[in-house]
Amino acid sequence: MKQKLEKVYEELGINEISLIDNCIFCSLCWKELAEKHKKNSDWTIYLPYIGEKYEDARILFLGINMNGYGDKDAASNLAQYAIDEISRGKIRTFANPKQDYIGSLLWHRIFSYATFILREIAILKKRIEKPYPSIAEMKIAYDYIAMTNSIKCSPNGDNSKPTYSMWVNCPSYILK
């Protein structure tokens, strides 16, 4: 599946280039942003994270954007890092005390919701006595999901708030 997506990105002319300068909509999407919001936003498009058993359940999680982070394997790297932290008992992933960041609940929620879905479609056994997902179940769920974002660009600052043009153009051009 990843090779197929790489081919699509290549056909769109967006594989291994900076979207801020090279996407067909870049002048529309970035024109209303100040230079400070363009700084450090010139990374390339990333492939979605796609678990090894994704086709068995087809559970897709869709975020907004990468919040200032990206390269070809960014989503896969984040998913792996998140499941590693959750496997060690963490609920908030990517915490960074040096930057006063308490961490994100996003990946814990993704794997938790995936666990509930997998229980409903009988890939995992329903657990009535302890309904909360276990770490073991979340590690299994990791293989059944895909994760990407609607918008492939991330302006610097303001929590990477996308422009209106990004909301209009990116999902219909790249995400589709």
Side-chain angles (χ1 to χ4, degrees):
M1 172 116 23
K2 285 185 178 183
Q3 286 114 355
K4 186 177 176 182
L5 283 169
E6 282 181 313
K7 185 176 179 182
V8 169
Y9 290 167
E10 193 171 309
E11 289 169 0
L12 290 173
I14 56 173
N15 197 26
E16 298 183 18
I17 63 167
S18 165
L19 295 177
I20 189 173
D21 296 318
N22 297 295
C23 169
I24 64 169
F25 295 108
C26 64
S27 61
L28 294 171
C29 293
W30 290 88
K31 74 177 181 183
E32 57 198 77
L33 289 166
E35 284 303 314
K36 69 178 183 177
H37 295 296
K38 295 176 184 178
K39 192 175 186 177
N40 299 321
S41 296
D42 60 347
W43 34 267
T44 60
I45 194 164
Y46 59 91
L47 295 167
Y49 164 73
I50 303 170
E52 291 180 19
K53 297 179 181 180
Y54 171 72
E55 290 294 329
D56 295 347
R58 299 186 59 86
I59 303 170
L60 172 65
F61 289 93
L62 191 60
I64 296 173
N65 64 19
M66 290 293 272
N67 201 11
Y69 175 70
D71 63 30
K72 185 177 177 181
D73 296 316
S76 292
N77 293 341
L78 288 175
Q80 183 62 58
Y81 187 69
I83 200 64
D84 290 347
E85 286 199 327
I86 289 167
S87 295
R88 291 191 303 271
K90 291 188 176 185
I91 293 174
R92 291 185 178 271
T93 56
F94 315 118
N96 188 339
K98 291 179 184 175
Q99 293 181 350
D100 243 2
Y101 181 61
I102 62 170
S104 171
L105 295 172
L106 175 68
W107 285 95
H108 185 272
R109 296 306 186 256
I110 287 172
F111 297 131
S112 295
Y113 297 153
T115 298
F116 287 118
I117 293 168
L118 291 170
R119 287 176 184 173
E120 285 301 312
I121 62 175
I123 289 176
L124 290 175
K125 184 180 174 192
K126 287 189 181 182
R127 297 176 54 188
I128 297 169
E129 72 287 348
K130 187 177 178 189
Y132 300 107
S134 68
I135 290 172
E137 288 174 309
M138 287 191 275
K139 287 171 74 173
I140 292 168
Y142 170 80
D143 287 329
Y144 287 91
I145 70 163
M147 170 58 178
T148 194
N149 295 292
S150 320
I151 299 169
K152 302 304 178 184
C153 290
S154 292
N156 191 12
D158 298 329
N159 288 325
S160 301
K161 184 179 178 186
T163 64
Y164 174 78
S165 294
M166 289 174 184
W167 279 107
V168 170
N169 297 315
C170 200
S172 63
Y173 177 58
I174 297 175
L175 181 63
K176 185 166 77 172

